[in-house]
Amino acid sequence: MTEEHSTLFDRYDIQISNTERRNSSIAIQDCYIVYLIECRLKANKEDESICVFRRYSDFETLRNYLVAKYSWVIVPVLPEKTISHTWSKSHQDRTSVEVVERRRVLLERFLQHVCAHPTLSADSAVQTFLLQNDGWKHIVDTSHVLNKSESLIPSFKLNLMQHERTKDKRFLDAYQYAIDLNNVLHNVLRARAKLADRIFLYYQSHNQLGRLFSEWSTTEDKLGDSLQRAGHFLDSFAGQIEEYLHEEDALMDFLKHQASYCDVIKSVVEKHEQLVEDNSKQETTLGVKRTQRDAYATGKMNFSVNALKSKLFGENDQTRYAKIETMDSDINDAVLHCQNADIRVKEFNKNALIELDFYKTMKEEQMREILRSYCLLQARIAKAALKSWTNIRDSFSNGQTPI
Amino acid sequence: MDDPLSRALREDEQGISNAHENGQSTPNVADSDCLENASSLSISHSHNDWILPSTNERREEVEVNEEQIKIYVGDPKKHKSNLDSFITYLVTTQTYNDGVQINETNVRRRYNDFVWLKNLLDVKYPFNIISPLPVKHTLSKKLHVVADDGEFIRRRMNGELNKTQKSELVFHFRKCSGLQNFLRRIINNPVISIDPSVQLFLTADDEALHSAQQQPNPTSPLTPQMTSSTSNPFRQPIGRGKPIPSEFSRTDNQIQTLQDNLRKLERLSRKIESDQIAIHTEEEHLLSTFKQWLDTERKYDENDSLVETVCNAEQKIVDNQDDLLRTTNTKYIEPINEHVLFTGIVQDVLKRRAQFSDNVTAGNNEEMFDQLTIANETIKADVQRWTEGKDKELMDLFHSMANKKVDFYTQSVNAWEQAAAKLSTPTNQR
């Protein structure tokens, strides 16, 4: 029993251990990166690990499939397709070593989260994606999930919210929060990128200052010694910052990751909206059918066409009863539809709310980690600067005795 | 610790004077006093070796049996008279003997009074290096608004337009330290400090000062022929076989190099300051986005403690940066500018000497030859005093600037480490 309920994550160690550059054609520019996924059974470490190569678009396809099929699930997000909010132009090149590495980390995280999710990890497409070379694409294609017009058009989404069909505050709040949080996080990311630019320029200026001091020291007598030492420390100060800024950039990836989840939340709520609307449509239809049938049965029909019909074709009681029976069975069908729609909504809501709660806890943990890492990084940057400036200051101290 | 020591040495530099109002020492021991001044620092070192140092007493023990004069310039106030309005500064002169204050004089002087004194001294002591005065207007400040950003201009303009009155007064506070340095360096020079005009400036009431200012300017020891020829910038100071000129031309080159370096330093420092201001603007912006984030979390009853921690840390950083920036210009850039001006003055003195020397050779006058010898000696002594002063002042300047940065980064480290510590404790919500 436990075997069936365990997730892929429980059973396997999953890693993206390596990356490779491949060419899709002879042209040099047509290259892409593949990621090597390794899965090794936890139970038996001696076993060889199963290896597959996947590229980014494969991940995308898999994820779209999962989103469409399990619409109440908050499916883990992928790293961004195009680099945004970066401080250095060099990171625009998506095949550079650093960028690939950052992506690798986030793709690994994606896989691990998917495999830890009980519903998602049970999906056959996911399992074949990880454990077999081919076959997953076939599963995805034949599921027809991606072709369904379940995917909502943007304008349609907006209309849903405006009509406020759901009175469910939890979903409304989640939606609004997702929108606001997304905005706010992007503002933070933008501001940080600009700040990083400025900081870099500031440190560069100190390079020039160090050079000036070094040159000046050659023409000074007593001051020369201090100037030379200070110049040396200024150079080392100026050189510190680039590495830290790259590290900060990589850290921002995780913040962007969090922002992406906001979009996922939004689509889950939109799906909820759609189901609720569906449900109410069914109910409306049912109501209409019932009214019609009752009206027909009691003979209170005022439609001149039907009155004419019955006179022309000589309706008798038999045909009337037959008609009422058809309508009744129709109504029964509609009742069934309604019940189904109702169940669907309830099921969806129940699961979606579980997902939302789970997401909240996870988000808080991750945010804590991100913010903590940010603070630690800033502390390290300040510490390194402190060390340099202490040395610079001490080059100019008059005392000959060391402290 | 280094700081008290350098501070003490600085006090020595500005306060040591063998002349004071009682007129203890006479002018003809001026030269030997100079030498004693130059080496008094080494004496004070050895004093400190066997006298147990304690921060407060050190100063007085160094000054045993010596008079000390301290000058303070401050308290700028606006005066409106019938004809015009101007600012006056309070000039306080305190005399100490063995660390005990025995006299204090307070007078009010305006900028023009300082200019009068400087011009007088320039003429009377052409071969002495006399400290520059701070500039009268803020023109130099506006010139370096090198806008690389619309935000930068906007910010400065907003700051200045809203507080024109306040910034004027701030500017005058800054001038105080320049005026103070001017007077302190004059007092430091044993020959000039006993000049009656200096005494008049420091102690006389307004009427006495005004009447002194009305009198015709004292004649220069240089003949008119020489004073006019010093204004010719194109005459080259060529040495005519005398042994001294080569030494002075070496000095001249050194001064020129120093001036170039100081100019570069000033330019670079201004650039760094504007870089710093740009950073500050962006940090403030980042802080506001963090605050927006905090508001969002609060609006939806989410856990706001995480973001709040980061907000607080960032706020501290922004505040500290503000403090640091406020003093960068006055405490660092303007003193450098002052030193640039100072090198210009030294160059002028050397030029004057060179002209005089040429004229002496041409004139072949015995008396003038003696004057030249005296002039050369005066200049040598003054240059040495000036060089030592400059070395010390620059060291102190760089030291204090770096120290401010050290303080800033120390505070930053603390703020971020505290925040990180707060963020590692798990929430109670689990």
Side-chain angles (χ1 to χ4, degrees), chain A residues 177 180 198 205 368 383 393, chain B residues 149 275 300 403 425 427:
Chain A
Y177 177 60
D180 287 351
R198 295 291 182 195
S205 302
R368 172 190 298 280
K383 258 202 190 137
R393 179 196 65 182
Chain B
D149 229 2
D275 284 341
Y300 294 96
N403 204 27
T425 52
T427 50

Side-chain angles (χ1 to χ4, degrees), chain A residues 172-174 176-177 180-181 183-185 187-192 194-195 198-203 205-206 208-210 212-213 215-216 219-223 226-227 237 255 360-361 363-365 367-368 371-372 374-376 378-379 381-383 385-386 389-401 403, chain B residues 1-2 5-6 9 45 148-149 151 257-258 261-262 264-265 268-269 271-272 275-276 278-279 282-283 285-286 289-290 292-293 296-297 299-300 302-303 305-307 310 313-314 332 388 390-392 394-396 398-399 401-403 405-407 409-410 412-413 416-417 419-420 422-427 429-430:
Chain A
L172 273 179
D173 278 351
Q176 213 38 60
Y177 177 60
D180 287 351
L181 186 64
N183 274 341
V184 142
L185 285 181
N187 286 345
V188 169
L189 286 165
R190 243 195 316 267
R192 187 228 56 110
K194 277 184 85 176
L195 175 60
R198 295 291 182 195
I199 290 182
F200 186 65
L201 289 175
Y202 173 75
Y203 274 71
S205 302
H206 284 81
Q208 295 174 7
L209 188 62
L212 171 63
F213 272 24
E215 287 168 10
W216 186 359
T219 57
E220 282 291 327
D221 207 9
K222 287 189 192 159
L223 210 49
S226 301
L227 284 174
F237 171 71
L255 204 60
K360 260 196 190 179
T361 338
K363 163 189 155 269
E364 200 173 295
E365 266 179 51
M367 234 13 135
R368 172 190 298 280
L371 291 177
R372 183 163 167 270
Y374 180 76
C375 291
L376 285 174
Q378 299 303 316
I381 296 178
K383 258 202 190 137
L386 174 62
W389 279 102
T390 310
N391 286 331
I392 293 171
R393 179 196 65 182
D394 292 342
S395 331
F396 290 114
S397 54
N398 278 326
Q400 288 82 16
T401 49
I403 296 171
Chain B
M1 294 293 286
D2 278 328
L5 177 59
S6 53
L9 290 173
H45 271 294
D148 51 358
D149 229 2
E151 287 170 320
T257 319
L258 177 64
N261 281 327
L262 283 173
K264 281 188 209 158
L265 179 63
L268 203 47
S269 302
K271 176 168 188 291
I272 291 183
D275 284 341
Q276 241 174 311
I279 288 185
E282 295 303 335
E283 291 266 20
H285 187 54
L286 182 65
T289 59
F290 275 131
Q292 280 176 16
W293 185 358
T296 307
E297 298 286 347
K299 185 174 166 193
Y300 294 96
E302 300 277 332
N303 183 5
S305 63
L306 304 174
V307 186
V310 176
E314 185 68 29
Y332 180 57
E388 278 166 11
K390 171 255 312 172
D391 279 348
K392 207 142 287 120
L394 283 177
M395 283 278 266
D396 287 339
F398 294 143
H399 187 278
M401 226 295 281
N403 204 27
K405 289 266 163 93
V406 166
D407 285 340
Y409 284 116
T410 314
S412 301
V413 170
W416 287 117
E417 282 186 339
K422 271 208 197 117
L423 288 170
S424 45
T425 52
T427 50
Q429 288 181 355
R430 324 249 12 234

